[in-house]
Amino acid sequence: MSVAIAAQPAPSVGAVSFLDRPARLLIGGEWVQSESGRTISVVDPATGAIVASVADADRTDVDRAVAAAREAFEQGPWPRMLPAERQALIWRLGDLIEQHADELCELESIDNGKTKFMASVVDIPATREYLRYMAGWATKIEGSTFDISVGAPPGSRFETSTRRHPVGVVAQIIPWNFPLLMAAWKLGPALAAGCTCVLKPAEQTPLTALRLGELVMEAGFPPGVVNVLTGYGETAGAALVSHPGVDKVAFTGSGEVGKIINKSATNTLKRVSLELGGKSPVIVLPDADVETVIGGAAQAIFFNAGQVCAAGSRLYAHKKIYDRVVEGVSAAADAIRLGPGLDPETEMGPLVSREQQDRVMGYVDSGREEGAELVTGGESLEHPGCFVKPTVLANVNANMRVVQEEIFGPVLVAQPFDDIDEVAALANATPYGLSASIWSNDLRAVHRLVPKVKAGTVWVNCHSFVDANMPFGGFKQSGFGREHGRTGIEMYTELQSVCMLV
Ligand code: NAI
Ligand code: MG
């Protein structure tokens, strides 16, 4: 269908000068060409135009980057620095994010499709704050002391304690939905713990990771502490994950690739943490205020065009209010103004790529074929950009693909329910378990429901709120490990017990 889409405004001079940089990798503190010289085109998904090209790293480049990270870990100053010095450098990186916020917002918008406005209120400030939060952890990593009961030789006494060591060289593979923020979620705790990193951004959105690499060097990190490789998952990503010189892999992305990574990492028993998306239920109990729920549920699915691992993509509303909630969310969907990310009038940008647009439309079609009722949306625009209209599919059932599988686009599926046990069973009836939200002011009902929901985060009267201090990760096939907070730091350390006969 055709809807008028405004023209993409021209980026600023600063952003353009970055886009024009030659294709380079950050290895051992130097900006170098890929061994093959091959490049990957970067496309603005609002226009379909190629805006930059980046290096296409392969196995040889991975070898170089891992060797640089290894040298920085074994010989360089980083793990041996005073914790306060590591803290200061990570904090300084946060400051540089702040100083270059406007340029980073533009690059994120051009690369991912999200609005510059959204990048300016979510992605970039959250990145800055995440780095600052993790900077503070560098000086707070601790072990414990405890007594043991070994009784031999008779009369002997022991001093026993634990200490934490950085896990070593970490490979960090991130997705395209929040490119810079995902880089911070990975680098922040690893650096605080004293690890050295090889970061591979998604091939669709490499720009801000490269700009971050420049800021890492400007901040004064020692060479080889942060290496940035742009490249494809099947080549650079796979080589990184299987590399014997890597001690830990941290991954955010699809379940399919998470499983491949977990298998590949097994050969050298690398530590692995996986954040693999979800199919998060939004559960609306009968007492909920309908207007509040409509705004909250629309936000839960349409934020970032639904390209959010924790997106509230399944709506379960009590049958008493189901019709009003579905009608309200559909009206909210209809009102969203689509457009290019740099246009301040735009409320929702395009999806990240043509591939993602096709994937999302494939799901919409499958839902209709399986008998879901299309309430609104359900169309992509005839436009060189990758726009999909916000979509609501009603009266779905638990067997449909649109209910079981992560769509990762602006598509909500809705189903009524009758009682709490029924909705708990529905909420749990997918392979995923990343998050859920419950909308109600009935304290007893909420407290009874929360423990029944198999999800790493349960929000009550809100959805998708994350914080650097709140553990985040999945039950079931949404992955394992918890990012953020103390647990996020611990994932980048090895625990050593010290047992001294005194
Ligand atoms: P993906 O899982 O293929 O890509 C994520 C990252 O993994 C990228 O950096 C990619 O280069 C890398 N990668 C791909 N194959 C690899 C391999 N064999 N070894 C190592 N690294 C590899 O996700 P994709 O294809 O971009 O999106 C497909 C679906 O995945 C989406 O529709 C969505 O459902 C889900 N997804 C979930 C995300 C989340 O936040 N949990 C983020 C992105 C995608
Ligand atoms: Mg893929």
Side-chain angles (χ1 to χ4, degrees):
M1 73 169 283
S2 65
V3 164
I5 292 287
Q8 174 78 299
S12 66
V13 176
V16 169
S17 103
F18 178 78
L19 295 172
D20 288 344
R21 299 246 223 292
R24 294 281 193 274
L25 306 166
L26 178 60
I27 298 179
E30 307 284 337
W31 288 98
V32 297
Q33 270 203 313
S34 70
E35 200 75 24
S36 72
R38 282 195 313 269
T39 58
I40 301 174
S41 298
V42 180
V43 174
D44 175 352
T47 63
I50 294 175
V51 292
S53 63
V54 298
D56 174 10
D58 62 17
R59 186 170 290 280
T60 345
D61 305 305
V62 169
D63 283 343
R64 286 196 291 162
V66 173
R70 175 58 60 194
E71 191 185 330
F73 187 72
E74 304 296 346
Q75 267 104 46
W78 187 246
R80 284 159 285 276
M81 265 185 189
L82 291 178
E85 293 172 327
R86 281 207 305 276
Q87 171 177 274
L89 275 169
I90 303 168
W91 187 277
R92 168 124 180 81
L93 187 57
D95 285 346
L96 288 172
I97 298 286
E98 180 159 52
Q99 275 172 37
H100 297 277
D102 198 62
E103 179 195 348
L104 288 164
C105 290
E106 277 189 57
L107 293 175
E108 207 70 313
S109 175
I110 294 166
D111 210 1
N112 165 277
K114 68 179 65 203
T115 64
K116 181 182 172 190
F117 172 73
M118 198 50 75
S120 75
V121 293
V122 179
D123 300 62
I124 307 309
T127 299
R128 179 197 68 214
E129 288 311 305
Y130 201 80
L131 291 170
R132 288 179 174 168
Y133 171 87
M134 285 298 171
W137 267 108
T139 49
K140 290 158 197 74
I141 296 169
E142 59 187 17
S144 60
T145 59
F146 47 91
D147 293 326
I148 61 169
S149 300
V150 175
S156 58
R157 286 291 174 268
F158 296 86
E159 280 285 331
T160 34
S161 61
T162 55
R163 59 181 303 126
R164 288 194 176 271
H165 295 266
V167 70
V169 172
V170 298
Q172 306 185 307
I173 299 180
I174 56 172
W176 41 259
N177 51 342
F178 294 88
L180 186 65
L181 184 58
M182 291 303 109
W185 282 18
K186 294 290 180 275
L187 292 177
L191 294 173
C195 297
T196 60
C197 305
V198 181
L199 176 74
K200 195 201 82 63
E203 51 270 40
Q204 297 86 347
T205 56
L207 296 179
T208 47
L210 291 168
R211 188 70 183 101
L212 182 66
E214 293 182 356
L215 298 178
V216 162
M217 297 320 297
E218 188 177 332
F221 282 79
V225 172
V226 176
N227 304 275
V228 181
L229 293 183
T230 52
Y232 292 104
E234 295 73 11
T235 50
L240 200 47
V241 172
S242 60
H243 201 292
V246 169
D247 299 301
K248 174 186 161 68
V249 181
F251 172 74
T252 298
S254 64
E256 187 194 346
V257 172
K259 288 171 193 172
I260 295 173
I261 286 181
N262 202 31
K263 280 188 197 138
S264 160
T266 299
N267 289 333
T268 55
L269 286 178
K270 295 179 180 69
R271 278 64 184 133
V272 177
S273 51
L274 302 171
E275 199 272 84
L276 304 178
K279 191 73 188 175
S280 300
V282 173
I283 302 168
V284 186
L285 300 188
D287 73 289
D289 173 61
V290 170
E291 286 311 309
T292 307
V293 166
I294 289 170
Q299 181 70 14
I301 182 62
F302 299 130
F303 169 57
N304 212 43
Q307 300 166 123
V308 178
C309 51
S313 51
R314 291 183 291 148
L315 174 67
Y316 296 106
H318 189 269
K319 64 176 188 193
K320 219 177 81 183
I321 51 175
Y322 171 81
D323 286 339
R324 283 155 66 209
V325 173
V326 170
E327 196 186 307
V329 175
S330 303
D334 270 344
I336 294 172
R337 190 199 305 254
L338 294 175
L342 295 182
D343 181 349
E345 300 290 309
T346 296
E347 290 168 345
M348 185 189 285
L351 300 189
V352 69
S353 63
R354 184 69 71 204
E355 185 191 3
Q356 193 62 15
Q357 184 189 34
D358 291 345
R359 182 181 286 134
V360 170
M361 288 312 299
Y363 275 114
V364 172
D365 294 343
S366 93
R368 296 176 72 174
E369 279 157 27
E370 289 188 283
E373 176 200 337
L374 178 71
V375 186
T376 189
E379 291 160 302
S380 57
L381 306 189
E382 279 168 28
H383 186 274
C386 310
F387 296 93
V388 170
K389 286 203 75 182
T391 299
V392 177
L393 294 170
N395 304 331
V396 297
N397 68 59
N399 301 321
M400 294 179 180
R401 278 184 61 215
V402 284
V403 177
Q404 286 298 315
E405 297 176 23
E406 184 175 51
I407 298 177
F408 230 62
V411 181
L412 179 67
V413 300
Q415 184 179 349
F417 71 90
D418 219 349
D419 70 53
I420 284 210
D421 286 331
E422 180 197 358
V423 79
L426 286 169
N428 292 333
T430 79
Y432 291 107
L434 186 62
S435 62
S437 63
I438 300 170
W439 298 76
S440 170
N441 290 314
D442 178 344
L443 271 179
R444 286 187 70 215
V446 171
H447 278 291
R448 277 167 51 213
L449 188 50
V450 169
K452 293 183 206 272
V453 178
K454 293 181 180 142
T457 301
V458 180
W459 290 287
V460 179
N461 296 324
C462 57
H463 195 105
S464 282
F465 288 9
V466 289
D467 185 85
N469 202 31
M470 183 166 76
F472 183 72
F475 283 26
K476 301 181 349 191
Q477 291 192 30
S478 287
F480 41 74
R482 292 290 180 273
E483 299 190 275
H484 315 335
R486 180 185 298 273
T487 58
I489 291 289
E490 288 177 355
M491 290 205 301
Y492 288 96
T493 65
E494 290 286 8
L495 189 63
Q496 180 176 57
S497 291
V498 183
C499 174
M500 189 189 297
L501 180 61
V502 292

